[in-house]
Amino acid sequence: MGENNTEGGNLAQVQHVVLVLSGKGGVGKSTLTTELALALRHAGKKVGILDVDLCGPSIPRMLSVGRPDVHQCDGGWVPVYTDASKGLALMSIGFLLENPDDAVVWRGPKKNALIGQFVSDVAWGELDVLLVDTPPGTSDEHLAVVENLRKHRVDGAVLVTTPQAVSTGDVRREITFCRKVGVPILGIVENMSGFVCPHCSECSNIFSKGGGEELAKITGTPFLGCVPLDPLLSSSLEEGGDFMKTFPESAAFNAITNICRTLLETLQAA
Amino acid sequence: MSDVPSNAPEHCPGTSSEKAGKGSACQGCPNQKLCASGATKAPDPAIAEIAEKMLTVKHKILVLSGKGGVGKSTFSAHLAHALASDTTKEVALLDVDICGPSIPRIMGLEGEQVHQSGSGWSPVYVEENLAVMSIGFLLSSPDDAVIWRGPKKNGMIKQFLRDVDWGDLDYLIVDTPPGTSDEHLSIVQYLSSASIDGAVIITTPQEVSLQDVRKEIRFCQKVKLPIIGVVENMSGFVCPNCKNTSQIFPPTTGGAERMCKELGLPLLGKVPLDPRIGRSCDEGKSFLNEVPDSPAAQAYNSIVQSIQDFCSNHITEEQSVG
């Protein structure tokens, strides 16, 4: 491990590798991964996203890259770039499916083989940060990702939760997972934290409030911040727009920008 | 749907395939001899054992969604509560989400343990006629992570179906983890001879969720699992202050309604977002008892009614065929 690893292969020029994890599904891992990537790019960083959610890859849609053909070069699979500046590179299982409605009905061993390839065979080139978006849980994909990335480096994991106890309960288990496999926790993000009614500005805590921050306190992990529920953010993701560019005045925008800044500081301090 | 052992080479044809033990990929595999002998092609004896065990279970319902966090466990729990509100019915809820078991908390059973008896594992009872089983009852602390690969998870599911002393049941509801992977293949495989009534598919209104759910529907079709219908959860939010509705998760592609029309599936109903649902789940109480006259509770009740109707029709169909 370490930056001076000369055998890092395709990850040799990747400065930082960050996993986005959550024990719970649907808490916004892919959303946060996408928005963090966009925020990092606005901060002038070169960013890559590796989407290892084999059964439900959402990132291609969120970045509206469609279903491009993935090409091979000498160095491996060429990631898909969101624009000509090549500031944001993406590799997802979604690109390899023939039919977008196809279910990837695979058991563990087959998934592990693909993840091994994913991690080692993508020609990322130079990147400041590689974000790895994972499926929910603590199972095959997670072990495979950690095992394969560890050969190079893993800076740590950002854990995403929603405020309710049902969700933080699952994320507690994810913290245990990180400790067991030796992945440092960079911090916890509380997503879907409150909803401000656009009609009367009354804030409703649809999924309760404060659970993420409390979890961070109990488990002694850094708290990165809250991201409120924001219909603008959901529709922007549906349309694959760049929320970070389109809605700079929204509350979610500020929250994500702050989280991005804290994350960068943590990475650079390490 | 072939089974591939974890120590098999990459191109393993699957232990139950025609080529098992004979393919070029099998050269050097530690299981080659066993596969070539034909022993692996016989169905897992557990399937027959489970079928026998399930003879005393009238209806089996799976709750599925390709996407996580759309409300599968919330729905499963409330379906169980609603069915069990008829005290003449015996209801059981099985949580096969091995890595993220939420059912113990939602049912108010956190910290409960499973007991072993002569006739198998005893489930935990919420009410006299409502039994619950989850891996959460087997963990010693809420921090415990179950870091298991596929085969181990499958073993657990097999045990849940075969070794739990369910007794006579009217309904067995199975809550699943998101995706289309080991747990789903296993549950369908193990229940293959026990006839599942069907699956209820849960989604939220956005396309990002629907695209995963379409995959789940494909999965059901692939494994020939009947679909009872689709529930759209988190469908709009009514501000408690000004009563205006906001689409927090906007149905940009027509939501579940359009998907159901396109795929010819019944839409069982739409459940709005309500902060009281999440709160009841955190407190382990039934939302349907807490605020029975809320629009969300009414939506729930009408969905449960459709599921009951489906199941009783399912019985008559079976009888008329048999």
Side-chain angles (χ1 to χ4, degrees), chain A residues 111 138-139 165 172 176 234 238, chain B residues 143 148 153 181 207 252 282:
Chain A
K111 289 195 283 195
T138 50
S139 191
R172 273 175 90 156
T176 310
S234 319
E238 287 274 283
Chain B
D143 290 323
W148 286 358
K153 291 195 281 194
S181 191
E207 179 57 29
T252 50
D282 275 1

Side-chain angles (χ1 to χ4, degrees), chain A residues 195-204, chain B residues 237-245 275:
Chain A
F195 171 69
V196 178
C197 175
H199 307 282
C200 67
S201 301
E202 166 97 355
C203 181
S204 298
Chain B
F237 171 69
V238 179
C239 175
N241 187 38
C242 69
K243 311 292 173 210
N244 276 307
T245 302

Side-chain angles (χ1 to χ4, degrees), chain A residues 61 238, chain B residues 204-212 214 250-253:
Chain A
R61 183 179 180 93
E238 287 274 283
Chain B
T204 49
Q206 332 86 291
E207 179 57 29
V208 171
S209 171
L210 292 171
Q211 70 175 8
D212 286 356
R214 283 196 197 96
T252 50
T253 55

Side-chain angles (χ1 to χ4, degrees), chain B residues 256-277:
Chain B
E257 200 161 346
R258 200 162 113 204
M259 182 189 74
C260 284
K261 238 178 232 154
E262 282 167 7
L263 299 175
L265 293 172
L267 177 66
L268 297 173
K270 296 181 181 184
V271 182
L273 277 164
D274 189 324
R276 292 170 295 188
I277 299 179

Side-chain angles (χ1 to χ4, degrees), chain A residues 103-259:
Chain A
V104 181
V105 190
W106 289 356
R107 291 198 184 259
K110 206 167 166 185
K111 289 195 283 195
N112 299 346
L114 183 66
I115 290 171
Q117 272 196 336
F118 245 179
V119 171
S120 50
D121 292 358
V122 181
W124 291 112
E126 246 177 76
L127 287 183
D128 292 300
V129 183
L130 175 66
L131 299 169
V132 184
D133 183 29
T134 62
T138 50
S139 191
D140 295 283
E141 290 93 336
H142 307 84
L143 288 168
V145 166
V146 171
E147 274 166 21
N148 284 291
L149 281 176
R150 208 163 14 206
K151 296 172 200 154
H152 175 65
R153 70 173 292 151
V154 182
D155 288 75
V158 172
L159 302 182
V160 188
T161 186
T162 48
Q164 335 84 293
V166 169
S167 170
T168 57
D170 281 353
V171 177
R172 273 175 90 156
R173 288 187 268 270
E174 198 77 32
I175 294 175
T176 310
F177 171 84
C178 289
R179 293 192 174 144
K180 274 195 188 163
V181 298
V183 171
I185 297 167
L186 300 170
I188 294 177
V189 173
E190 179 176 306
N191 194 23
M192 307 195 191
S193 179
F195 171 69
V196 178
C197 175
H199 307 282
C200 67
S201 301
E202 166 97 355
C203 181
S204 298
N205 294 320
I206 298 186
F207 301 109
S208 166
K209 176 93 192 160
E213 195 161 4
E214 202 187 309
L215 178 71
K217 244 180 236 155
I218 296 173
T219 55
T221 35
F223 184 65
L224 294 175
C226 296
V227 181
L229 276 166
D230 189 337
L232 288 176
L233 178 56
S234 319
S235 11
S236 159
L237 287 166
E238 287 274 283
E239 284 145 23
D242 186 343
F243 175 77
M244 300 308 290
K245 212 183 231 166
T246 337
F247 302 106
E249 74 285 359
S250 84
F253 174 88
N254 277 326
I256 292 163
T257 313
N258 284 333
I259 292 167

Side-chain angles (χ1 to χ4, degrees), chain B residues 75-85 91-93 107 129-131 173 304:
Chain B
F75 182 80
S76 306
H78 287 89
L79 176 60
H81 276 300
L83 291 171
S85 65
V91 182
L93 174 57
M107 298 302 277
N129 63 337
L130 178 51
I173 299 155
V304 171

